[in-house]
Amino acid sequence: MNQQHPADQASSPVGGPTLRADGATLLRDGAPHRLLSGSIHYFRVHPDQWEDRLLRVRAMGLNTVDTYVPWNWHEAERGSFDFTGWRDVERFVRLAGDLGLDVVVRPGPYICAEWDNGGLPAWLTATPGIRLRCSDETYLAAVAAWFDELVPRLAALQASRGGPIVAVQVENEYGSYGDDHAYMAWVHDALAARGIDELLFTADGPTDLMLDGGTLPGVLAAATFGSRPGQALDKLTGRRGEQPFVCAEFWNGWFDHWGDPHHVRGADSAASDVRELLDLGGSVSLYMAHGGTNFGLTAGANHDGTRIQPTVTSYDSDAAVAEDGTVTPKFFALRKVLTEHRGDVGDTQDDRWIQPPVRLPAQALPPVSTRPLLPALWALGAATAASSPLTFEQLGQNAGLVLHTATPILPRGSSTLSILGLHDRATVYVDGHEVGVLERETSHRGLTVHGQGVPVRLEILVENLGRINYGPRLGEHKGILGDVLVERRIVHGWTSRSLPLDLLPVDGLWAGGATGEPGAADSDRADAVGPQGVIARTTLDVDEPADAFLALPGWTKGFVWVNDVLLGRYWERGPQHTLYVPAPLLRAGSNTVTVLELHEVGSDLELKDEAVLGEPEEYVEEL
């Protein structure tokens, strides 16, 4: 492929930018203007609910909505682009415009967003030797091909061409990652060369470190923060001189990790800082105005330097408009501030958009039927043989599970089985029985297995807990990156079975559980230390589809489908204990609920009256 620099490509601007800076003033079509924006991610909201959520944030007093565009949502396989259905970003943008909202688009190519791999495709980060988010030629070639598909779609929807897009972000918080200014200039020019003639801006935390790395001369530098707006303005003014004060992300809430507290922020705290920001003449985008859900296997993960921190399925983020569309006390506190600074109320008093959505009543679902997990997994797809366990990247797999099988001799008595380079979690079976779980941080210490000096069927079911979306570990590979050891001896001769749960037919998973287990398995073996994983099924009968919150009391860890849609993960460690079921996923009559439980079956499934996202812990200081 011949790489052409975007600056050398022809662009066809139609008119001047709708938004522009005049000193410290932001002008829209020549008149002073204030962006009162909020984030809604089309990819985290069922498309049948886009209009509802947009109308709710508009009723809060917003005049603009912003969204990221996750590259891996549209090009999951290299060269195969999808902009249909749930991925129809153009329809989302047009809908926002039809409802009277301006749109800010943040196309990356990296978005963070607590989204798997920060939005970068797994096939891209699997490329040998590639360097991400810099002037690496292989990386730039892939970005150029992606922008060739995406950017003309956005350019056609700019305000200068009759659409609602008034601004486009260059990369995303780049100063938190690197300092390749030539790369940032390349992204800027790539957007302009493909037709972006509306306002271009960068966004970074208001610190010297971040602004040093992420800003560009002559390009509006917006900031991202959740408190102390006066300090942010002082920092920007001291470095950039007179320019409009724009907060591209105001963190009025926060997201959660599995095993950590549920983060909340008080309504008064958020509203007070937004008021100060607006009193300083600033424009703001609430992150999030409505958070939505990490459906399927789309949730990313962080790493704090010592452990992986996988993000939960809910992306409620303690936003003003909750995961199911319910408006919260924060909605009303922010609406008061926003309408005061708008100088008009528009439709913000329209009570239609503050009514709670209809929900199914609390109820127990019928008792589940179960089938053993391992036979269900054996029945799906073909296994690939290799001397060592294959990684997700070697299997061409983005997310889900991989089942590795080998037949080593276990010495008589007790020995230690360990895994070097586990990313991220493994359930270990000997002759069909679960003998323990190894996790990324401790897998090198191993677990105890018992042998008789004869070959056993050793199986290791590895789970990708979400690809890291932020920081220098971005693009890390998944699976078993090293070796499996019995004491100091490496186990060779493996087959690896790819199980991308988000792509596999759930009916095939259930049908596979009915097949026989290969090989004899002695249920009295001393290795067996507890219950086994299962595939479970039940039904949810409804007269009229409505939203629901599904709970799995006593279940340990796994995945849930409603009909043929993978809702996401559940995990007993919390903080999240219900999964949001949007009404459009249900149909009148009988609906099938399928559970892949990795360890231990709990009591029957049930619906709750409201979301159970965990005991709240106030979260402000780190914002």
Side-chain angles (χ1 to χ4, degrees), residues 426-450:
T427 305
V428 180
Y429 304 85
V430 173
D431 286 339
H433 297 284
E434 180 181 330
V435 297
V437 173
L438 293 173
E439 298 197 341
R440 176 171 173 150
E441 293 74 25
T442 57
S443 65
H444 61 286
R445 300 176 191 165
L447 54 79
T448 300
V449 292
H450 303 279

Side-chain angles (χ1 to χ4, degrees), residues 263-538:
H263 297 124
V264 300
R265 182 173 186 182
D268 291 343
S269 167
S272 174
D273 278 332
V274 170
R275 175 176 279 108
E276 180 183 349
L277 192 162
L278 298 179
D279 286 345
L280 291 168
S283 289
V284 66
S285 184
L286 304 173
Y287 194 94
M288 300 289 296
H290 167 66
T293 308
N294 295 312
F295 292 108
L297 304 175
T298 58
N302 293 100
H303 198 288
D304 66 1
T306 60
R307 65 188 179 100
I308 192 170
Q309 300 169 293
T311 301
V312 302
T313 300
S314 172
Y315 202 66
D316 177 85
S317 299
D318 193 36
V321 178
E323 185 175 13
D324 71 330
T326 299
V327 301
T328 68
K330 190 176 292 181
F331 173 98
F332 294 103
L334 289 169
R335 181 167 75 163
K336 184 175 187 298
V337 174
L338 293 167
T339 54
E340 288 172 359
H341 284 81
R342 278 173 61 117
D344 66 83
V345 295
D347 72 345
T348 60
Q349 303 302 319
D350 189 337
D351 286 347
R352 286 179 300 170
W353 308 115
I354 63 174
Q355 300 304 314
V358 177
R359 295 179 190 159
L360 296 178
Q363 58 185 283
L365 275 61
V368 299
S369 300
T370 63
R371 291 174 177 176
L373 175 61
L374 285 180
L377 301 182
W378 291 322
L380 291 174
T384 303
S387 60
S388 299
L390 298 177
T391 66
F392 279 62
E393 284 68 26
Q394 289 170 320
L395 291 166
Q397 182 179 341
N398 175 27
L401 306 170
V402 173
L403 181 62
H404 304 285
T405 305
T407 54
I409 295 174
L410 292 185
R412 290 184 178 274
S414 300
S415 55
T416 298
L417 183 141
S418 60
I419 302 177
L420 305 181
L422 173 63
H423 290 187
D424 299 304
R425 188 177 188 272
T427 305
V428 180
Y429 304 85
V430 173
D431 286 339
H433 297 284
E434 180 181 330
V435 297
V437 173
L438 293 173
E439 298 197 341
R440 176 171 173 150
E441 293 74 25
T442 57
S443 65
H444 61 286
R445 300 176 191 165
L447 54 79
T448 300
V449 292
H450 303 279
Q452 303 295 329
V454 297
V456 298
R457 189 174 77 250
L458 173 64
E459 289 167 295
I460 301 177
L461 183 60
V462 176
E463 180 184 359
N464 168 358
L465 291 175
R467 292 180 182 271
I468 290 172
N469 56 257
Y470 179 81
R473 293 176 183 264
L474 178 70
E476 272 191 348
H477 292 189
K478 292 295 185 176
I480 297 176
L481 277 59
D483 290 306
V484 178
L485 307 179
V486 175
E487 296 294 337
R488 70 185 67 184
R489 189 186 72 211
I490 297 174
V491 179
H492 291 105
W494 292 88
T495 59
S496 299
R497 191 178 303 273
S498 176
L499 301 166
L501 299 181
D502 53 335
L503 303 179
L504 296 175
V506 68
D507 287 342
L509 187 66
W510 174 247
T515 64
E517 181 177 346
D522 180 3
S523 61
D524 296 325
R525 284 186 60 92
D527 299 278
V529 295
Q532 297 285 102
V534 300
I535 304 297
R537 267 199 166 174
T538 185

Side-chain angles (χ1 to χ4, degrees), residues 586-597:
L586 299 173
R587 53 180 175 253
S590 182
N591 296 268
T592 302
V593 180
T594 307
V595 181
L596 188 162
E597 165 59 50

